[in-house]
Amino acid sequence: MLFDMDGTLLDSAECVRRVWSDWGDGHGFDVDELMGLSHGRRNDEVVRLVAPWLDVAGELARLASAEEDCRDGIAAVPGARRLLAQLGAARWAVVTSAWRRLARIRLGAAGLELPPVLVTADDVERGKPDPEGYLQAAARLGCRPTACVVVEDAPAGVAAARAAGMRVVGVTTTVGRDRLGCEWCVEDLRALTARVVGGDPAVVPGRAH
């Protein structure tokens, strides 16, 4: 099982919106446009998309500092702790567009354990929707891509998982199922249950009570 982080395992929307709102105000960009572009993408990709003429390295440093300092509203998505506890030491990973330090900060702030494998923006050359991150996670877990199930909340992440040849469960915490375009969608992780069979996780539908 491969999980996205922000919007899938944890809710960091308040922090993300605050950071992009402050940055957008300083450069004349609409925060809603920036939020739409940022879902599932690395910060450097967003800055290059909207303002390639800026000093990207300098802007990234300011964005990174603001994101790492923000803890407001960060919390586990409903059902996340239960689902991860069911997985235990089974083969699962987090694949996130955040860098490693930020990923550790947010997982800790949400009270979630670190995964056996963590693939961050520091580990890949190309972010989502490129499949590099998900393929790397599968390789590090010793799994065939076609044996992996990805849980994602953003269209860029869904596209990355599909390009990797993986099945996808969409979580509608960020956008609706029409934008995700997934065959299987859930409102949050309370709708999923994991069972470990022979050391490998299997996902079954059904709301936990």
Side-chain angles (χ1 to χ4, degrees):
M1 287 192 69
L2 313 181
F3 295 91
D4 174 54
M5 186 180 73
D6 294 282
T8 300
L9 286 177
L10 60 87
D11 181 358
S12 59
E14 185 176 338
C15 277
V16 173
R17 188 173 186 86
R18 176 177 299 177
V19 169
W20 282 115
S21 179
D22 290 345
W23 187 84
D25 287 346
H27 295 289
F29 294 109
D30 178 72
V31 64
D32 290 324
E33 178 186 358
L34 293 172
M35 288 292 291
L37 289 171
S38 70
H39 290 316
R41 285 194 173 97
R42 300 183 304 185
N43 287 353
D44 64 312
E45 293 167 334
V46 177
V47 173
R48 288 188 174 95
L49 276 172
V50 301
W53 58 87
L54 293 176
D55 173 14
V56 175
E59 299 302 325
L60 290 179
R62 283 185 283 274
L63 284 166
S65 178
E67 289 203 71
E68 290 176 3
D69 288 342
C70 186
R71 308 288 197 282
D72 297 346
I74 294 179
V77 165
R81 290 192 185 93
R82 176 191 57 81
L83 185 59
L84 297 184
Q86 290 172 342
L87 289 169
R91 290 191 288 184
W92 64 279
V94 170
V95 180
T96 175
S97 298
W99 53 100
R100 185 165 297 272
R101 175 176 166 80
L102 181 62
R104 287 177 170 269
I105 288 171
R106 287 187 175 166
L107 287 167
L112 297 174
E113 62 182 288
L114 291 175
V117 168
L118 176 61
V119 179
T120 72
D122 298 326
D123 303 309
V124 298
E125 293 184 6
R126 299 171 299 279
K128 303 171 185 177
D130 191 277
E132 181 183 356
Y134 281 123
L135 290 172
Q136 184 182 139
R140 288 168 60 180
L141 288 170
C143 299
R144 292 177 291 106
T146 53
C148 296
V149 175
V150 172
V151 186
E152 263 284 358
D153 75 306
V158 171
R162 284 181 169 158
M166 300 173 181
R167 291 165 290 174
V168 191
V169 176
V171 184
T172 58
T173 50
T174 303
V175 299
R177 67 169 58 226
D178 56 330
R179 285 193 58 195
L180 286 175
C182 293
E183 182 179 355
W184 302 290
C185 282
V186 296
E187 291 184 3
D188 57 47
L189 300 185
R190 289 175 294 184
L192 295 178
T193 297
R195 296 173 183 165
V196 179
V197 180
D200 294 325
V203 183
V204 297
R207 181 168 295 278
H209 297 286

